[in-house]
Amino acid sequence: MAEAAKATSAKGGQTAGQTAGPAAGVDKLSFEQALAELEAIVGNLERGSVPLEESIAMYERGEALKMRCDTLLRAAEARVETITRDADGRPSGTAPLDADG
């Protein structure tokens, strides 16, 4: 089974930096890059013109890209702050968006 996955990766048109598996290099992508690649994969899979083995490899890469996007979104949400106001309604500082976290 591992040999079939290696053969699929070799035939899948991946670049040299992506030969270690479907998640290779994903952790270095920005949110926009990961999302664009994920959208391209979804488009290819929806068209149904990709052979089964290549579809499986693309699906696995898509899962890794989805997890990368989720991780980056959670990190961004953690950094979002709300503006606090004083009794007169003037901005007085910031506070975490999620006071529990």
Side-chain angles (χ1 to χ4, degrees), residues 35-59:
L35 185 60
E37 187 176 341
L38 180 57
E39 288 173 342
I41 287 172
V42 169
N44 284 330
L45 292 174
E46 284 178 343
R47 280 192 289 284
S49 59
V50 181
L52 179 61
E53 288 299 318
E54 190 174 341
S55 292
I56 293 169
M58 290 173 73
Y59 179 84

Side-chain angles (χ1 to χ4, degrees), residues 1-8 53 56 60:
M1 184 72 175
E3 291 177 20
K6 288 179 188 174
T8 300
E53 288 299 318
I56 293 169
E60 290 171 346

Side-chain angles (χ1 to χ4, degrees), residues 73-97:
L73 282 174
R74 279 193 210 102
E77 288 172 350
R79 293 181 4 219
V80 172
E81 297 178 324
T82 57
I83 297 172
T84 58
R85 299 186 181 274
D86 63 17
D88 296 325
R90 292 182 299 234
S92 63
T94 61
L97 179 64

Side-chain angles (χ1 to χ4, degrees), residues 18 22 26 29-47 55-73:
Q18 298 174 329
V26 168
L29 297 176
S30 70
F31 176 81
E32 293 78 9
Q33 291 169 324
L35 185 60
E37 187 176 341
L38 180 57
E39 288 173 342
I41 287 172
V42 169
N44 284 330
L45 292 174
E46 284 178 343
R47 280 192 289 284
S55 292
I56 293 169
M58 290 173 73
Y59 179 84
E60 290 171 346
R61 175 102 177 145
E63 281 294 314
L65 291 164
K66 178 189 169 292
M67 286 190 295
R68 175 66 176 164
C69 288
D70 287 344
T71 298
L72 292 171
L73 282 174

